Amino acid sequence: MKLIRFGAVGHEKPGVQLEDGSRLDISGFGRDYDEEFFGGDGLEELKEWLSLNQENCPILGQDVRLGAPLVRPSKIICVGLNYAKHAAESGMDIPEEPLLFFKATSSIVGPNDDVIIPKNSQKTDWEVELAVVIGKKASYVSEESAMDHVAGYTLHNDYSEREFQLERGGQWVKGKSCDSFAPVGPFIATQDEIKDPHNLDLWLKLNGEELQNSNTSDFVFDMPTLVSYISSFMTLLPGDIISTGTPAGVGLGLKPPRYLKPGDVVELGIEGLGSSKQQARAFE
């Protein structure tokens, strides 16, 4: 299934996207895509409910606003330098262990909402990433069983303010957590929708110019490794997001570096997970 949420900011309702791209309002199902949904039998219950009620679900117009395809989770855990070529362009060694940082969940927005260049920002950057949505509580899980804890996958743009991140001291979270810095979606694809998450093309364009084009086969650490590793340091709860890193082509790595300006348009996508578009505007 492809899970969506739609409607005005703060008033999103659950829906599904069908194979033909049409979208259905499934608010009659009575549940939203939250920790209880992912951690319980929500997906199976939704499949059963749709088998009985799909024909009666309202069809959504293609112009309806999409929100993030899940209720705000307990945490977003990001993985740094997880593509070998991105580590090289950043002038950093490939990590011996996964490099982890947090991103505030208050940064989550819909896939096509504006990205807000923060107050006093000069170095707002882009990062197309494959994100994993946890479907089952995970603590000290083995690599062999790690994928049993995954509900599905989604597209994430891990926006980053590089001065805040790298030049202001402390941890990376300061440059990662500004409002609007985590557009997620357009949908969550359940595991059965994605044949091989380690062989997906992903891309990003700035004002129509392709700057990132890679494949998840360039991962330094694969998903079972990441889920198992992270679960040895913290409990992963249903609905939590693991963002698996970005390939080469970010603004920081260009020569000379390039960063977002008001009016810039960022488009990005991942094979099987759709695409999103954000327009940059200045903080007001």
Side-chain angles (χ1 to χ4, degrees), residues 98-147:
L99 193 163
L100 305 181
F101 58 91
F102 280 110
K103 194 175 185 84
T105 59
S106 55
S107 64
I108 294 176
V109 291
N112 302 309
D113 291 346
D114 289 345
V115 58
I116 310 303
I117 298 175
K119 188 176 182 179
N120 301 319
S121 166
Q122 300 295 321
K123 298 181 179 181
T124 294
D125 203 349
W126 53 85
E127 298 189 13
V128 58
E129 304 204 4
L130 172 63
V132 176
V133 179
I134 296 298
K136 179 181 174 184
K137 184 176 178 181
S139 178
Y140 296 105
V141 300
S142 67
E143 291 184 21
E144 291 73 22
S145 65
M147 297 306 287

Side-chain angles (χ1 to χ4, degrees), residues 225-242:
T225 300
L226 292 176
V227 173
S228 175
Y229 181 86
I230 295 169
S231 79
S232 71
F233 295 96
M234 67 195 79
T235 296
L236 294 168
L237 297 177
D240 282 354
I241 293 172
I242 299 173

Side-chain angles (χ1 to χ4, degrees), residues 187-198:
F187 53 77
I188 294 170
T190 51
Q191 274 221 60
D192 57 296
E193 294 268 348
I194 302 297
K195 183 176 180 180
D196 182 3
H198 299 100

